[in-house]
Amino acid sequence: MPQIETEIPASHMPPSTKTAILVIGGAEDKVHGREILHTFWLRAGGSDAAIAIIPSASREPLLIGDRYQQIFEEMGAKFTKVLDIRDREQGEDPYFQEYIEQCTGVFLTGGDQLRLCGLLADTPLMERIRGRVQQGEITLAGTSAGAAIMGHHMIAGGSSGECPNRALVDMAIGLGFIPEIIVDQHFHNRNRMARLLSAISNHPERLGIGIDEDTCALFEKDGWLRVIGRGTVTIVDAREMSYTNQTEVGATEPISLHNLRVHILSHGDNYHLHLQKPVPKQ
Amino acid sequence: MPQIETEIPASHMPPSTKTAILVIGGAEDKVHGREILHTFWLRAGGSDAAIAIIPSASREPLLIGDRYQQIFEEMGAKFTKVLDIRDREQGEDPYFQEYIEQCTGVFLTGGDQLRLCGLLADTPLMERIRGRVQQGEITLAGTSAGAAIMGHHMIAGGSSGECPNRALVDMAIGLGFIPEIIVDQHFHNRNRMARLLSAISNHPERLGIGIDEDTCALFEKDGWLRVIGRGTVTIVDAREMSYTNQTEVGATEPISLHNLRVHILSHGDNYHLHLQKPVPKQ
């Protein structure tokens, strides 16, 4: 097992063009091909990667942090460290900040997205991660709860088995790494189309992104996302919506949404966030 | 209780412009406002209505037939009759055919859509119902299994909790009253978006119509449908689809569908089948 240090030589940083943001729908393969986690490891620098695992969404942070640490070490990451943040004061810990300053990949585990935001939002640590991600210096990945927090608006909870209505989804503010999207995860697995539609009805200027389990929307810095993994990524684009009654109806009444554009993308398909354009696998 | 007869005076026929086809998502209100069933009764002629109830989809045809008969009699239908067809030979029964010849409304109950088609497809009785519906002489309603059979292609079964894939849906041939649609019922209630998408991927020239429980897509003869009831009608329009891998992938592999147009319609909303145009409630 490689020794964990906070000092990482600058030469180990991957070229900034290789960084990306991986938004994972949960339950990614941790045993067999591990395609998604392997892609994260590669894009974080491969054998030169210095990875920070933040398990703070989970109520079993030691267990889950250790699991991912073992995986990335087995793949050959140079440095791995679990940042076991359990209170907001740790977001100011200089030791953690120093590691973030020099790492090449940050992985946010699953758990509860409200817990993750509550512990990390607006801390110096999170602001530094955000800055380095925006500069293209860090590859960021989040799975399940760690995916939910990617947008400015975040789905905090909700249910299924109903037509779109305001009470079907609980919204909160996310960590905003990709502010223009609203993410839903475990998407078709947990039948979440109606809850994503309910969320989008209130924020039609945002792009709804539903990600299935063991599936990843990999966001490149140039605005393209690419699908990897076993399921689909569903894009709900309401930017040309011609009508909704969302503001007029009661919380449990059905919501109308006219003229949505929907794309179901599978492995290898691409979509451009701003061109609003899907491109099939070549 | 009015006497059931097969002879109905011609003066009791409603004006043909009033007839419609009501496609009901199942579990329609039978106790309180009964909005959908009342609309069927009205469009079948109201107090002049002569209604045929076909409970053949059900394995308890007497029970379910009697239930609807009581409801339509309470509303004041002039004649009601349960056509308890349990084998295909009854589809040639002159007594049943005579009733159909003179009735103003036909109601198909829920149950198993394969059973319904197996008993009725291509029988003289069904051909006569089809002819009179096409001529605008009969208002037709079908709920649940009775709704599923409306298109040429029919969803016979399937499941949920997966991304769109060919194995998620079982297709068969329906009774084809509105050939250009593929209906799914109990739609958001049973999380059937992925199964409807799976069906549409193989028949993108057809229009997917997902109907929630206690909700009705009422098709007028001029191509407009209007939503009544408590839930939503979801339209999946793949006629401008730019790409699918449907024919290339294995039966359980994820299906890509690029550039779908989706509309969620609620009470009072309208949609034109051929203009592809939703119009909000006025």
Side-chain angles (χ1 to χ4, degrees):
Chain A
M1 199 183 291
Q3 193 185 350
I4 297 166
E5 298 173 4
T6 60
E7 285 290 323
I8 308 161
S11 63
H12 286 142
M13 307 283 274
S16 65
T17 50
K18 287 176 68 181
T19 63
I21 301 179
L22 286 82
V23 190
I24 308 167
E28 71 284 350
D29 175 15
K30 298 174 188 67
V31 180
H32 303 291
R34 306 198 281 206
E35 182 187 14
I36 294 168
L37 296 178
H38 193 261
T39 302
F40 166 71
W41 168 77
L42 264 180
R43 297 298 289 262
S47 54
D48 287 334
I51 292 171
I53 297 150
I54 301 182
S56 307
S58 175
R59 296 220 166 257
E60 291 185 324
L62 284 180
L63 205 68
I64 198 166
D66 187 58
R67 181 94 193 265
Y68 283 106
Q69 187 169 34
Q70 277 186 32
I71 289 170
F72 296 132
E73 283 178 356
E74 276 174 33
M75 289 180 182
K78 194 142 200 160
F79 305 96
T80 62
K81 187 166 182 59
V82 177
L83 309 192
D84 183 9
I85 296 164
R86 302 188 189 197
D87 62 61
R88 285 183 60 86
E89 281 174 15
Q90 287 173 283
E92 296 172 21
D93 184 324
Y95 179 76
F96 284 170
Q97 286 189 55
E98 199 174 339
Y99 190 79
I100 286 298
E101 207 56 58
Q102 301 184 53
C103 76
T104 60
V106 170
F107 191 94
L108 307 172
T109 73
D112 175 353
Q113 51 264 49
L114 282 174
R115 181 178 162 84
L116 183 61
C117 289
L119 285 170
L120 287 176
D122 303 322
T123 60
L125 187 79
M126 185 44 63
E127 289 314 305
R128 194 58 197 127
I129 293 174
R130 183 195 313 282
R132 294 202 66 217
V133 168
Q134 282 170 352
Q135 292 301 312
E137 296 167 354
I138 282 180
T139 286
L140 175 71
T143 186
S144 193
I149 57 79
M150 290 291 178
H152 171 71
H153 293 289
M154 174 176 87
I155 295 176
S159 60
S160 66
E162 294 174 26
C163 65
N165 67 85
R166 295 212 313 272
L168 195 64
V169 65
D170 303 320
M171 299 300 297
I173 300 300
L175 296 177
F177 289 104
I178 310 171
E180 60 264 54
I181 65 175
I182 296 179
V183 173
D184 209 347
Q185 62 286 350
H186 305 279
F187 188 65
H188 284 299
N189 315 81
R190 297 190 189 170
N191 298 304
R192 287 177 166 174
M193 180 66 98
R195 107 172 180 175
L196 182 59
L197 290 171
S198 305
I200 286 297
S201 74
N202 200 25
H203 304 287
E205 77 289 357
R206 312 281 167 163
L207 199 67
I209 310 258
I211 308 175
D212 292 342
E213 294 179 358
D214 197 16
T215 307
C216 170
L218 185 149
F219 289 81
E220 305 283 4
K221 278 186 297 168
D222 58 5
W224 284 100
L225 75 82
R226 184 164 50 90
V227 178
I228 55 180
R230 281 197 312 123
T232 56
V233 171
T234 300
I235 310 272
V236 176
D237 182 353
R239 289 174 289 189
E240 295 168 10
M241 182 168 64
S242 58
Y243 171 74
T244 182
N245 59 358
Q246 201 269 350
T247 57
E248 298 157 29
V249 295
T252 60
E253 287 182 83
I255 296 175
S256 293
L257 298 143
H258 295 189
N259 281 298
L260 302 174
R261 184 67 70 175
V262 171
H263 312 283
I264 312 289
L265 311 176
S266 67
H267 195 288
D269 285 351
N270 300 277
Y271 181 82
H272 197 284
L273 267 190
H274 308 122
L275 303 177
Q276 306 177 228
K277 188 182 161 188
V279 175
K281 181 169 72 170
Q282 298 301 313
Chain B
M1 199 182 291
Q3 195 185 348
I4 297 166
E5 299 175 3
T6 59
E7 285 290 324
I8 307 161
S11 63
H12 287 142
M13 307 282 274
S16 65
T17 51
K18 286 177 70 182
T19 64
I21 301 179
L22 286 81
V23 190
I24 308 167
E28 71 284 350
D29 175 14
K30 297 175 189 66
V31 179
H32 302 292
R34 306 198 281 208
E35 182 187 13
I36 294 169
L37 296 178
H38 193 263
T39 302
F40 167 70
W41 169 77
L42 264 181
R43 297 298 290 261
S47 54
D48 286 333
I51 293 172
I53 297 150
I54 301 182
S56 307
S58 175
R59 295 218 167 259
E60 291 185 323
L62 284 181
L63 205 68
I64 197 165
D66 187 57
R67 182 94 194 266
Y68 283 106
Q69 186 167 34
Q70 276 185 32
I71 290 170
F72 296 133
E73 284 178 355
E74 275 174 32
M75 288 180 183
K78 195 142 197 158
F79 306 95
T80 62
K81 187 168 183 58
V82 178
L83 309 193
D84 183 10
I85 296 165
R86 302 187 187 197
D87 62 60
R88 286 182 60 86
E89 281 175 16
Q90 289 175 281
E92 298 172 20
D93 185 323
Y95 179 75
F96 285 170
Q97 286 189 54
E98 198 174 341
Y99 191 79
I100 287 299
E101 207 57 59
Q102 302 187 53
C103 76
T104 60
V106 170
F107 192 93
L108 307 171
T109 73
D112 175 353
Q113 51 264 47
L114 283 174
R115 181 177 163 82
L116 184 60
C117 289
L119 285 170
L120 286 176
D122 302 323
T123 59
L125 187 78
M126 185 46 61
E127 288 315 304
R128 194 57 197 129
I129 294 174
R130 183 196 314 282
R132 296 204 64 215
V133 168
Q134 282 169 352
Q135 292 300 314
E137 296 166 351
I138 282 180
T139 287
L140 174 71
T143 186
S144 193
I149 57 78
M150 291 291 178
H152 171 72
H153 294 290
M154 175 177 86
I155 295 178
S159 60
S160 65
E162 293 175 25
C163 65
N165 67 86
R166 294 212 312 271
L168 195 63
V169 65
D170 303 319
M171 299 301 296
I173 301 299
L175 296 178
F177 290 104
I178 309 170
E180 60 264 54
I181 65 174
I182 296 179
V183 173
D184 209 347
Q185 61 286 349
H186 305 278
F187 188 65
H188 284 298
N189 314 81
R190 297 190 188 169
N191 299 305
R192 288 177 165 174
M193 180 66 98
R195 108 172 180 174
L196 182 59
L197 291 170
S198 305
I200 286 297
S201 74
N202 200 25
H203 304 289
E205 77 289 357
R206 312 283 167 161
L207 199 67
I209 311 258
I211 308 176
D212 293 342
E213 294 178 357
D214 197 15
T215 308
C216 170
L218 184 149
F219 289 79
E220 305 283 3
K221 279 186 296 168
D222 59 4
W224 285 100
L225 76 81
R226 183 164 51 91
V227 178
I228 55 180
R230 282 197 312 124
T232 56
V233 171
T234 300
I235 310 273
V236 176
D237 182 353
R239 288 174 289 190
E240 294 168 11
M241 182 167 67
S242 57
Y243 171 74
T244 182
N245 60 357
Q246 200 268 352
T247 57
E248 298 157 28
V249 295
T252 60
E253 287 182 82
I255 296 175
S256 294
L257 297 143
H258 295 188
N259 281 300
L260 303 174
R261 184 67 70 174
V262 172
H263 312 283
I264 313 289
L265 310 176
S266 67
H267 195 289
D269 286 352
N270 299 277
Y271 180 83
H272 197 283
L273 268 189
H274 308 121
L275 302 176
Q276 305 177 231
K277 187 182 163 188
V279 175
K281 180 168 71 170
Q282 298 302 312

